[in-house]
Amino acid sequence: MCAVLRQEDPAPERAGDVVPLALDVADSVAAGGTLDIVLNGVADPTAIGVRVVDVATGLALPRALPVARDGRVTIRQILPVEGLFRVLAGTGEQSPVSRLVLATDPSAAFDPTDPK
């Protein structure tokens, strides 16, 4: 089990019915596994820009396709190697939000029963 982090646009509500953008991601996933990036506050998947960048190399991963469902936009991104990744999301109307995600070695999973 892992925690899910949420960051909302810190900018105040603007004129009209702009809903703050919220970015939900797990704080860690197994390398080679899928990271679910969930965006609330935007219904149109074409209205958002999402990038996942390897912090060590500065290289962006290939973009995964966003899917709108259940009143939110979900992107399933594979994190191919171990390392730290930055997820950046934004729209033309709102300030961008970002989160850090750690991709870990799946064979090095924490075992709470191991006395080491």
Side-chain angles (χ1 to χ4, degrees):
M1 180 160 76
C2 62
V4 173
L5 302 173
R6 167 177 260 199
Q7 179 181 0
E8 294 186 4
D9 181 357
E13 290 279 336
R14 293 163 181 79
D17 294 330
V18 175
V19 176
L21 179 65
L23 172 61
D24 292 329
V25 295
D27 58 350
S28 68
V29 297
T34 302
L35 173 68
D36 287 335
I37 303 167
V38 180
L39 297 150
N40 292 295
V42 60
D44 180 7
T46 62
I48 52 171
V50 176
R51 288 187 312 138
V52 179
V53 178
D54 184 327
V55 172
T57 65
L59 297 175
L61 298 180
R63 294 180 188 227
L65 295 174
V67 176
R69 68 180 134 192
D70 301 327
R72 65 185 73 165
V73 173
T74 301
I75 299 166
R76 302 204 70 195
Q77 179 73 55
I78 294 173
L79 300 184
V81 296
E82 292 179 54
L84 189 62
F85 293 85
R86 180 174 300 279
V87 179
L88 300 142
T91 68
E93 304 173 340
Q94 299 177 6
S95 302
V97 292
S98 70
R99 296 312 286 159
L100 291 173
V101 177
L102 184 62
T104 60
D105 178 356
S107 66
F110 173 70
D111 181 359
T113 63
D114 188 355
K116 293 180 189 176

